Amino acid sequence: MWLVECPSFWDQGLIRPLVVSSGKVVLMCDSCGVVWHTPADIDEFEHVEPCEPDWSIDQHDHVRPGTFRWASAADVTSAGWGELKWRELP
């Protein structure tokens, strides 16, 4: 599932919901890798660019490879984002 296209002018990725190791749901561009903490942050392009070696997105969470998964519809609903217009992947 995905929400919108990445607003970055240099990218054409899809913004997808992601569950990090703590169980928190965030949004991540599947192409450029930037992370938004909430859907409202996308409009303001309030994002985090996680980088090696810590891949940190805030003081408690990270997106280290192998420690996260793409979110399901149930994850998105439990995060309070179920009412948004989610699209299915082709």
Side-chain angles (χ1 to χ4, degrees):
M1 73 179 10
W2 60 284
L3 184 58
V4 294
E5 292 179 0
C6 186
S8 169
F9 66 88
W10 64 87
D11 203 308
Q12 294 182 4
L14 303 176
I15 297 179
R16 299 181 60 194
L18 187 76
V19 179
V20 298
S21 60
S22 69
K24 178 180 177 179
V25 179
V26 297
L27 299 160
M28 182 179 194
C29 174
D30 65 3
S31 179
C32 70
V34 300
V35 174
W36 292 267
H37 290 280
T38 70
D41 293 339
I42 296 169
D43 292 335
E44 300 297 320
F45 210 62
E46 283 285 324
H47 65 282
V48 177
E49 295 183 36
C51 296
E52 294 180 57
D54 64 352
W55 301 97
S56 180
I57 59 170
D58 62 31
Q59 93 185 63
H60 302 290
D61 293 308
H62 57 79
V63 291
R64 286 185 201 107
T67 66
F68 62 85
R69 64 178 171 79
W70 294 115
S72 67
D75 296 318
V76 168
T77 299
S78 70
W81 302 340
E83 74 283 353
L84 298 174
K85 183 180 177 185
W86 295 95
R87 297 167 176 93
E88 292 299 321
L89 290 171

